[in-house]
Amino acid sequence: MKEIEKTLENKSVRPTAMRILIYKYMAEKEIAVALTDIENAFAKADRTTLYRTLKTFEEKGIVHQIDDGTNISKYALCEPGCNCEIEQDLHLHFHCNNCDETVCLTEHKIPQVNLPDGYVAEDANLVIKGICEKCSGR
Amino acid sequence: MKEIEKTLENKSVRPTAMRILIYKYMAEKEIAVALTDIENAFAKADRTTLYRTLKTFEEKGIVHQIDDGTNISKYALCEPGCNCEIEQDLHLHFHCNNCDETVCLTEHKIPQVNLPDGYVAEDANLVIKGICEKCSGR
DNA sequence: TTAAACCGTGCAACGGAAGTGCATTTATCG
DNA sequence: CGATAAATGCACTTCCGTTGCACGGTTTAA
């Protein structure tokens, strides 16, 4: 718990109770979460607060936003040392068509792609869809 | 014009006036279009019709849906011989951070990715974001 | 040919999610 | 303690995707 406080402070985010709880919630979940998920988990909290908390976390590099093709923004904690903004650091995401969960495959980086002349890459997003470990029965 | 009719019929879609127009519009545009784009282009047509037309087109393999990370579904015509459903055929998409346009890079396929044990890939989506040819000034 | 079935289209409305403005509370600093 | 800024909560708006229903034209079957 104290660790979370420290983590937030290191990223220059004030460790309020709400923020610590949200961080904790995301740390326990191993999958990417949507705003609605957090909303349901914390019935007490207002959606706006959660919304802005996620925005703040994202700006400060605490979480990264994931677009898994469901048209619902998901978020996941950045691994220690994750530099989302650097292209080489971009890992891919896996979305399960069965359980509808999205996970970070942190170890799997997005392969380098050669673009046509004139195109400049700044960011990349790769989502693989299929059946996840849990649902495939290994 | 007659060609479009034929194309639609070949895909077992009845070539109504509306559908031909929409097809024509998408063929002329070289970028992926959102429902709203079409809506603005055809002020007369109802949103629902366009929506369902796109759905139909998608089911019949005339267009493919593109998720470029803007949380707005875009659509683009399939190239002749495009088999969107087959993983090997998946091309990548480029979204320009400047002009906000999304294009298909049909020639650029999504590289094969090794997944952890237990994960089964069925589909993939790769979007590169950056500056497009037009905006980079070559 | 006429009736029935089907399909395409249009109108209205709903629901979910993102986002904004403003008031209020809470924390920080002098 | 008081002033200032940050965080939170409430209300509301907008946008997009989606659905239900009704009308009209076209196709199909008797």
Side-chain angles (χ1 to χ4, degrees):
Chain A
M1 209 63 162
K2 283 292 174 195
E3 291 163 31
I4 297 179
E5 265 185 59
K6 272 235 168 146
T7 308
L8 294 183
E9 277 169 358
N10 285 341
K11 301 277 189 173
S12 50
V13 170
R14 290 229 292 253
T16 67
M18 200 68 247
R19 286 171 175 175
I20 293 173
L21 283 176
I22 295 176
Y23 189 100
K24 191 158 169 286
Y25 173 76
M26 293 184 74
E28 284 165 359
K29 283 270 197 184
E30 294 193 341
I31 62 175
V33 297
L35 180 58
T36 311
D37 296 332
I38 309 182
E39 202 184 349
N40 293 335
F42 299 91
K44 289 296 181 63
D46 187 78
R47 236 196 35 262
T48 312
T49 305
L50 304 175
Y51 172 73
R52 289 201 247 248
T53 300
L54 286 175
K55 276 272 186 247
T56 306
F57 279 10
E58 195 190 355
E59 280 163 18
K60 302 300 176 134
I62 296 171
V63 304
H64 57 276
Q65 191 177 10
I66 302 166
D67 172 39
D68 61 4
T70 58
N71 274 0
I72 299 174
S73 293
K74 306 259 170 73
Y75 299 86
L77 291 185
C78 293
E79 298 284 314
C82 157
N83 286 313
C84 298
E85 56 279 359
I86 300 169
E87 192 188 354
Q88 282 71 30
D89 199 79
L90 292 171
H91 57 272
L92 60 91
H93 296 103
F94 187 92
H95 178 77
C96 180
N97 289 329
N98 187 53
C99 65
D100 220 56
E101 292 185 347
T102 300
V103 292
C104 296
L105 298 181
T106 323
E107 300 308 314
H108 294 68
K109 305 302 179 192
I110 298 181
Q112 189 68 27
V113 178
N114 292 325
L115 294 174
D117 283 356
Y119 287 86
V120 183
E122 293 176 345
D123 194 4
N125 183 35
L126 174 56
V127 180
I128 312 282
K129 297 179 193 182
I131 309 297
C132 75
E133 194 192 7
K134 269 185 293 180
C135 293
S136 72
R138 303 201 143 252
Chain B
M1 210 63 161
K2 284 292 173 197
E3 290 163 31
I4 296 180
E5 265 184 61
K6 271 232 167 150
T7 309
L8 295 183
E9 276 170 358
N10 284 342
K11 300 278 188 174
S12 48
V13 170
R14 289 229 291 252
T16 66
M18 200 69 250
R19 287 170 174 174
I20 293 172
L21 284 176
I22 295 175
Y23 189 99
K24 190 157 170 287
Y25 173 76
M26 295 185 73
E28 283 165 0
K29 283 269 196 186
E30 293 193 340
I31 61 175
V33 297
L35 179 59
T36 311
D37 297 331
I38 308 182
E39 203 183 349
N40 294 335
F42 299 91
K44 290 296 181 64
D46 187 78
R47 202 181 156 64
T48 312
T49 305
L50 305 175
Y51 171 74
R52 288 200 247 248
T53 301
L54 286 175
K55 275 271 185 246
T56 306
F57 279 10
E58 195 189 355
E59 279 163 18
K60 303 296 178 149
I62 297 172
V63 305
H64 58 277
Q65 191 175 12
I66 301 167
D67 172 39
D68 62 4
T70 58
N71 275 359
I72 297 173
S73 293
K74 306 260 170 70
Y75 300 85
L77 290 185
C78 293
E79 299 283 314
C82 158
N83 287 314
C84 299
E85 57 280 357
I86 301 169
E87 192 188 356
Q88 282 71 30
D89 199 79
L90 292 171
H91 57 272
L92 59 92
H93 296 102
F94 187 92
H95 178 77
C96 180
N97 288 329
N98 187 53
C99 65
D100 221 57
E101 291 185 345
T102 300
V103 293
C104 296
L105 298 181
T106 323
E107 300 307 316
H108 293 67
K109 305 303 180 192
I110 297 180
Q112 189 69 26
V113 178
N114 293 324
L115 294 174
D117 283 355
Y119 287 86
V120 183
E122 293 177 344
D123 194 6
N125 182 34
L126 174 56
V127 180
I128 311 282
K129 297 179 193 183
I131 309 297
C132 76
E133 194 191 8
K134 269 185 291 179
C135 292
S136 73
R138 302 209 138 247

